[in-house]
Amino acid sequence: MDSTLPAVAEELLKEIKKAFRETSHDMFFFRLKFIFGPSAVPALDLVDQRSVTRVMSPSGRTAYQVLGSSGKLYTCYSSCHFCTCPAFGFTVLQKSESLLCKHILAVYLSQAMGACQELSVSEEQLTSILLAEEEDEG
């Protein structure tokens, strides 16, 4: 993870990853809720539903797709902490009320918990996925 997230958030995600390898997870729920606020519970729901897919191309380019609770598919980029959902644009970028939306938090949590689905695609398929998001916005 890049250091653009606040250090406390990055440290918490590292602890979650370690906890899922070694011990109980219950103590992290309250920390998640404290740091990430109202995004924590919906993000955990997305992880439980296995809604996060890591999409990889042969060149190593990676994006994540998250099937939102509304049934819409959102593309997330963990390398720059970005999601294509409207909540990210409004709550995170415009109003600065939250660190992350539930989709990008679900990506980080699924990585930490080892609950991320994997999908290998061609370079062309990944390009189509990324361009489809731009067309939806335009």
Side-chain angles (χ1 to χ4, degrees):
M1 261 175 250
D2 294 338
S3 59
T4 55
L5 277 179
V8 69
E10 281 197 40
E11 190 59 35
L12 177 59
L13 291 168
K14 286 178 188 174
E15 285 184 31
I16 289 170
K17 187 174 187 173
K18 182 179 176 185
F20 270 83
R21 284 191 218 132
E22 298 173 1
T23 61
S24 169
H25 331 117
D26 294 337
M27 68 180 185
F28 292 104
F29 175 74
F30 295 109
R31 290 181 185 177
L32 274 175
K33 192 135 173 67
F34 181 76
I35 300 292
F36 297 107
S39 298
V41 173
L44 285 168
D45 285 341
L46 290 171
V47 173
D48 283 343
Q49 296 167 14
R50 306 223 12 112
S51 297
V52 179
T53 302
R54 180 179 177 214
V55 183
M56 303 165 292
S57 70
S59 68
R61 292 189 310 157
T62 302
Y64 291 84
Q65 290 191 312
V66 180
L67 184 60
S69 53
S70 67
K72 184 160 172 40
L73 198 59
Y74 298 105
T75 302
C76 298
Y77 306 94
S78 63
S79 60
C80 60
H81 314 293
F82 181 81
C83 179
T84 58
C85 75
F88 185 87
F90 185 71
T91 307
V92 178
L93 297 179
Q94 284 184 347
K95 295 185 101 187
S96 297
E97 290 178 350
S98 182
L99 293 172
L100 305 167
C101 68
K102 66 182 179 182
H103 307 108
I104 194 75
L105 181 55
V107 167
Y108 293 134
L109 292 172
S110 68
Q111 289 172 331
M113 296 174 189
C116 195
Q117 298 186 70
E118 304 268 329
L119 176 64
S120 295
V121 298
S122 69
E123 298 296 332
E124 293 79 17
Q125 288 171 312
L126 184 59
T127 299
S128 293
I129 290 169
L130 301 178
L131 289 177
E133 288 295 334
E134 288 181 9
E135 290 171 4
D136 287 347
E137 294 170 5

